[in-house]
Amino acid sequence: MTSNDTLERLAQVIESRKGADPDTSYVARLFHKGTDAILKKVGEEATETVMAAKDGDPQKIVYEVADLWFHSMVALAAFNLRPADVLAELARREGLSGLQEFAQRGTPAGGHTP
């Protein structure tokens, strides 16, 4: 079993819960609340990941990154995307320096659009 398998299985569970009862499924509740609620949760988890990293506790970092990945996968599902789409993009970037990748996108080295 690979990490890709784990991500795909999780994506299938998330997809199966899209239409579930919001009173019995956390994922269904997120979808019921809408895209803004899902994206807000991704932002919260990103902040918690940063805070855990600043604390320097490896166990907390892993826990928070897991939450961030999970909620990012819920966001992907909200836009009918799959982990394979992200993995394909990462594969496309493999072997490129960050600076080359930014240049191809036409964004500055910091990755932010002006």
Side-chain angles (χ1 to χ4, degrees):
M1 182 179 346
T2 68
S3 56
N4 293 0
D5 295 333
T6 301
L7 292 174
E8 189 53 39
R9 277 195 324 278
L10 180 55
Q12 289 171 2
V13 169
I14 290 168
E15 194 64 33
S16 75
R17 303 234 173 109
K18 273 185 173 180
D21 182 353
D23 292 331
T24 61
S25 167
Y26 173 72
V27 171
R29 188 175 306 152
L30 283 173
F31 281 112
H32 181 74
K33 289 180 178 180
T35 305
D36 284 349
I38 293 168
L39 299 177
K40 180 181 177 187
K41 195 65 185 165
V42 171
E44 289 172 9
E45 297 303 340
T47 299
E48 290 173 10
T49 298
V50 169
M51 291 168 54
K54 288 187 77 60
D55 289 344
D57 181 337
Q59 187 174 358
K60 282 184 184 178
I61 295 167
V62 168
Y63 181 88
E64 294 301 342
V65 169
D67 280 352
L68 177 58
W69 285 14
F70 173 80
H71 288 91
S72 294
M73 289 180 64
V74 172
L76 286 171
F79 293 96
N80 297 312
L81 296 167
R82 306 286 291 189
D85 298 311
V86 177
L87 293 171
E89 175 60 15
L90 290 171
R92 184 192 69 77
R93 295 180 187 187
E94 192 173 358
L96 288 178
S97 78
L99 296 177
Q100 288 172 314
E101 202 277 326
F102 292 138
Q104 286 180 357
R105 282 194 275 164
T107 56
H112 301 287
T113 307

